[in-house]
Amino acid sequence: MRPQTARLIAAAFLCVGVLLGIFDAPQYFSRLTGVELNFLNIPYRLGLDIQGGTHLRYQADLGNISTPDYASSMEAVRDVIERRVNLFGVAEPLVQVEKSGKDWRLIVELAGIKDINAAIKLIGETPYLEFREETPEEERNKILESQKKGERLSEDPYFTPTILTGRQVKRSALDFDQTTFQPQINLELTDEGGKIFKDLTRRNVGKQLAIYLDGAPISAPVVREEIAGGKAQITGNFTPQSAKELVGRLNAGALPVPIKLISQQSVEASLGQESLERSLQAGLIGFLAVTLFMIFWYRLPGMLAVMALLLYAALVLAIFKLIPVTLTVAGIAGFILSIGMAVDANVLIFERLKEELRQGKSLEEGIYEGFSRAWTSIRDSNISSLITSAILYWMGTSMVQGFALTLGVGILVSMFSAISVTRTLLIAFMSRRLESLRFLFLNGLAR
């Protein structure tokens, strides 16, 4: 690469760096210039430990599930819980399956929700919808007689449960009666449910078919004919709001696997904010310490490495914003660690550059040879770190995954930063004048 070309590319890098910096923190740009950039106000996705919220851990009971179906059953549980959480408009909930030894667990993180009891109710509430047919007169009389004697009190003398329940509901929708304008709920049954419903209506023509919700009758229409097609309708004394809630609960579905709450934790936003501020302070202090060391020890290359590091940080933060990556305290730690690893690559390059210059090579030859010979070490060390990050992300829990993800992204960008940006800046600064000031490219106490 010719120095003139490198200078153009370096100028482009600096412009991109400034633009990325504005994108990362437009509020600071607005404070300095008074220019509002509302279209850039894309917030970072903050994790539960920073934003505050509720963390719930459930233990799954897979006793009735065959071992090969454990994973698929837990995925089904996760999907149902996600649907329930989404009904309440929780911003960016985290619902994930966790396997610990032989135990299968479900982790639910609800950012912004501080009321644990409301969250538990939201997750665990399972509406039980069932259809019941009329009990034969002889049996009904027996039950009533028994109940007069204080026996069989738990039995419903008028209606008998059938095998058609909410499990066979494919979807439900809120509707309004065209005559009375009363809210009603339209049900679409699964293929299995449609066949059961057809059989139920055929054998109960002229009789009542009751609909029970959580053990209480809500409707008992008379069947006038066999109904095929797998569609049913629930009417009752619904208000629009209660009908809407019931539709949402039915659409959320029943849990395919029982789950039991084993731990709960509420994270206050103030505590999260304190953790964020401390993490940012640590990152800033670490960055300044690295900057001073690089400039003091590696002189001009160190200063250029700091410029590359600023571009690196701006690029990584922009990636975090765009993907978006959920930033937790552990994730921020991974990002800060990746800054140190980005400096490692520059240190290897500058040490190789020093060796080449000591062998009497020209500044241009030293720069090219230094980068060429340092590349294999940088490549191998970063690939090793990437493999570690991948394993951590694959095997780890949510916090560990956040750390592994930010570290992995940081390592990938640091390779680009060290090899492309720092190299371009060094070539751009090559000149006959600097050739005579070779001590600027040495390090430590060397002259």
Side-chain angles (χ1 to χ4, degrees), residues 138 140 164 213 218-219 262 332 348 356 370 415 434 442:
E138 182 180 353
R140 181 173 65 236
L164 184 61
L213 183 68
I218 57 174
S219 179
I262 57 174
I332 293 174
L348 283 172
E356 299 299 328
M415 291 177 69
L434 284 180
L442 299 177

Side-chain angles (χ1 to χ4, degrees), residues 24 47 77 169 189 203 208 217 332 338 375 440:
D24 293 336
V77 173
V169 174
L189 304 174
R203 69 174 186 246
Q208 285 182 301
I332 293 174
S338 70
W375 163 242
L440 289 176

Side-chain angles (χ1 to χ4, degrees), residues 1 3-17 304 307 311 420-429:
M1 183 187 300
Q4 292 83 356
T5 306
R7 288 176 190 128
L8 290 175
I9 298 175
F13 278 146
L14 294 177
C15 291
V16 170
L304 299 179
M307 294 172 64
L311 178 60
S420 300
V421 180
T422 306
R423 179 169 177 266
T424 302
L425 292 176
L426 272 174
I427 296 173
F429 271 78

